[in-house]
Amino acid sequence: MAAPETVTEICPVTTVSFVERTALELMDRIEELAGTLGADLTSDLVKSAHADFDKASDDLKAAIVEKPDLSTMFVVGYVGDNLYVGNSRTFTQLNYYKSLGLNIVPQDIPLDSNWETLSWEQVNKYPVDLVFQDHRGEPDNAPGQLMSIATWASHPAVKAGQVGNWDTDFVASRRAFVAYLEYMTQTINGARDDIV
């Protein structure tokens, strides 16, 4: 592997920090970089990406408003390991959902951590109406596998069948993020907000 100095001699390199930035700030920064590299930011493709993103955001916000009592939690869990509860203040997409009004539990994970780590015995520490489970890395964290853990199976949202998918990676593109917003809207529209 080439040393960083050698790489920059061959090809200029730039970085974009995703730390402590909002979703909109990141998408704007990536777009600005694309413009610097020659992309036409006034093109119909870019304009339609903005319009689609705005509509998808408005639709999600409307779904959230319709379910004011809905509580959610975003987790990663692997059989034989622990349950990791996502920090809505550090995960960019969760922060964006929260800015639209989504009630994400818990609210107080320290900013220097992406997670609160719970043993499987502690799964019910946060009873919520709807759980979003990271679906990457299946089958180790597949819903069927996790159901073998009694405490997971007893969680109110899990018992009610209210478990959605979550991808922990943030895609800093309006066009790509529309699919996530639409999925969230569909899932929230189909969820009950009276489980807990």
Side-chain angles (χ1 to χ4, degrees):
M1 182 171 172
E5 297 80 18
T6 305
V7 172
T8 56
E9 287 173 13
I10 298 169
C11 177
V13 175
T14 188
T15 60
V16 177
S17 174
F18 278 40
V19 178
E20 294 184 4
R21 296 224 177 146
T22 68
L24 293 177
E25 286 173 335
L26 284 170
M27 288 186 264
D28 287 344
R29 184 68 183 106
I30 296 295
E31 205 169 86
E32 179 187 343
L33 177 60
T36 301
L37 296 173
D40 179 5
L41 301 183
T42 64
S43 71
D44 289 343
L45 186 65
V46 173
K47 289 177 184 175
S48 70
H50 277 254
D52 292 347
F53 175 83
D54 291 344
K55 181 186 182 311
S57 293
D58 290 344
D59 289 347
L60 177 54
K61 187 171 186 173
I64 293 167
V65 167
E66 286 293 315
K67 304 270 175 82
D69 297 326
L70 184 73
S71 56
T72 65
M73 180 171 67
F74 291 76
V75 302
V76 177
Y78 296 96
V79 174
D81 191 4
N82 294 301
L83 184 73
Y84 301 92
V85 181
N87 187 345
S88 62
R89 299 191 298 167
T90 59
F91 276 99
T92 305
Q93 69 274 47
L94 303 190
N95 195 285
Y96 187 66
Y97 302 151
K98 195 164 71 170
S99 77
L100 297 177
L102 187 62
N103 175 18
I104 301 176
V105 176
Q107 305 282 347
D108 58 354
I109 299 174
L111 277 171
D112 62 353
S113 176
N114 286 334
W115 310 100
E116 178 177 351
T117 304
L118 302 178
S119 70
W120 285 110
E121 291 76 19
Q122 298 172 299
V123 167
N124 285 290
K125 178 177 180 180
Y126 300 115
V128 295
D129 298 301
L130 176 60
V131 172
F132 289 92
Q133 156 71 13
D134 181 29
H135 60 96
R136 300 169 315 142
E138 290 188 14
D140 291 339
N141 66 345
Q145 293 277 16
L146 295 183
M147 289 302 285
S148 67
I149 301 170
T151 50
W152 173 258
S154 72
H155 188 280
V158 177
K159 280 174 66 175
Q162 296 206 146
V163 180
N165 289 331
W166 173 40
D167 187 335
T168 59
D169 294 328
F170 174 66
V171 181
S173 154
R174 281 177 173 82
R175 179 162 302 285
F177 200 51
V178 164
Y180 293 88
L181 295 169
E182 290 175 342
Y183 175 78
M184 290 293 295
T185 300
Q186 178 184 15
T187 304
I188 289 170
N189 279 335
R192 291 171 48 198
D193 62 356
D194 62 350
I195 303 300
V196 295

